[in-house]
Amino acid sequence: MAGNTRQTISGLLRDYGEKAKQAAVESLLENAETVAEEARRLCPVDSGKLQASIHTEPKGENKVRVIADAKNKDYYYGRITEYSPSGKAFMRPALEAKRAEIKQHTLDKIRAAINQN
């Protein structure tokens, strides 16, 4: 009986781990879009090209990045705007502004996945 119980618990933990991992990956994609939306809101607008180029891009299985399109010839403007002492940062402040919301969203998503069934 004890061996069977151990196998059942081990199976449950494995199932919970897979559910939690899948929920975390889904949350990652959603959270990246939340940061992108905030970056678009905070981005200084002149022509609107930089703002329009902000998007999410999956990078591997468990990573997503929020970028101002590197293929866009106006990309250098985004880097100058973000990192120049005279520029107005928008990417890092977007992440910082949404940090607590992202954390809570991820926890809620994982809890909901584990509590199914």
Side-chain angles (χ1 to χ4, degrees), residues 3-117:
N4 191 23
T5 302
R6 244 184 260 127
Q7 289 173 344
T8 302
I9 291 171
S10 176
L12 283 172
L13 289 173
R14 187 175 44 253
D15 290 347
Y16 284 159
E18 285 303 313
K19 288 178 182 180
K21 180 181 175 184
Q22 183 60 36
V25 169
E26 289 173 12
S27 176
L28 181 65
L29 298 170
E30 294 164 359
N31 289 335
E33 187 53 44
T34 297
V35 173
E37 288 171 7
E38 184 68 6
R40 284 185 212 105
R41 189 184 74 73
L42 295 175
C43 180
V45 178
D46 184 21
S47 70
K49 289 180 183 179
L50 179 61
Q51 184 182 43
S53 76
I54 298 170
H55 65 282
T56 62
E57 187 175 280
K59 187 176 181 181
E61 184 181 330
N62 299 320
K63 293 182 183 179
V64 178
R65 59 186 182 170
V66 178
I67 61 172
D69 194 357
K71 296 173 186 144
N72 183 332
K73 68 179 182 177
D74 296 320
Y75 176 68
Y76 73 92
Y77 177 69
R79 292 184 63 96
I80 291 169
T81 302
E82 182 71 18
Y83 297 111
S84 169
S86 61
K88 180 184 182 284
F90 57 96
M91 290 290 218
R92 172 108 16 219
L95 176 60
E96 293 303 322
K98 296 296 181 176
R99 187 176 298 278
E101 181 181 329
I102 287 169
K103 182 178 178 182
Q104 190 60 52
H105 177 72
T106 302
L107 291 173
D108 291 346
K109 191 96 170 169
I110 291 170
R111 283 185 185 122
I114 289 173
N115 289 329
Q116 286 180 347
N117 297 343

